[in-house]
Amino acid sequence: MMATTMILASARTQVAGFLSTLIYVYILLIFLYIVIQLLFSVGVRPPYSRTSDRVLGFLHDVCEPFLRIFRRLLPSFGMLDLSPMLAIFSLYIIDAVVVQGIIHG
């Protein structure tokens, strides 16, 4: 009985660590997507670069569906897009609630 409890506790901790890492990586991808978009809008983008197009395409495909949820919720503030801040904040809350819920059962 004690060995089973230890195995389940270890598995629960590993799942919580995996989810926390996954959320952290997604936050980094959103941050990278926003920074690259800002740099490209200023004109730092090299012309006709397939590598930058692929990187931006990947980040767009990964981040945009999640950001779109928050863009529907928030009103437009002109050129200011607050949806990434709200998305990252919600991911931090999910991380705190879900991971702590898994660890403490």
Side-chain angles (χ1 to χ4, degrees):
M1 179 70 178
M2 184 68 162
T4 306
T5 305
M6 292 299 287
I7 291 172
L8 289 176
S10 175
R12 188 182 327 179
T13 304
Q14 288 177 352
V15 167
F18 176 75
L19 285 176
S20 181
T21 303
L22 188 67
I23 290 171
Y24 180 70
V25 167
Y26 199 68
I27 289 171
L28 287 177
L29 287 174
I30 290 173
F31 184 73
L32 185 65
Y33 177 60
I34 298 306
V35 168
I36 287 177
Q37 274 192 328
L38 285 172
L39 288 175
F40 285 179
S41 68
V42 173
V44 179
R45 182 180 190 176
Y48 306 111
S49 173
R50 281 193 248 173
T51 306
S52 65
D53 287 340
R54 288 182 183 158
V55 168
L56 189 60
F58 168 75
L59 290 172
H60 180 272
D61 291 345
V62 170
C63 298
E64 199 59 40
F66 186 63
L67 293 175
R68 199 173 305 131
I69 295 169
F70 298 100
R71 287 193 180 120
R72 283 189 223 138
L73 297 174
L74 293 173
S76 177
F77 294 108
M79 292 185 63
L80 186 62
D81 185 15
L82 299 177
S83 61
M85 288 180 12
L86 187 60
I88 290 172
F89 182 69
S90 69
L91 285 172
Y92 275 124
I93 291 174
I94 290 170
D95 183 38
V97 170
V98 171
V99 171
Q100 293 303 318
I102 290 173
I103 289 175
H104 296 297

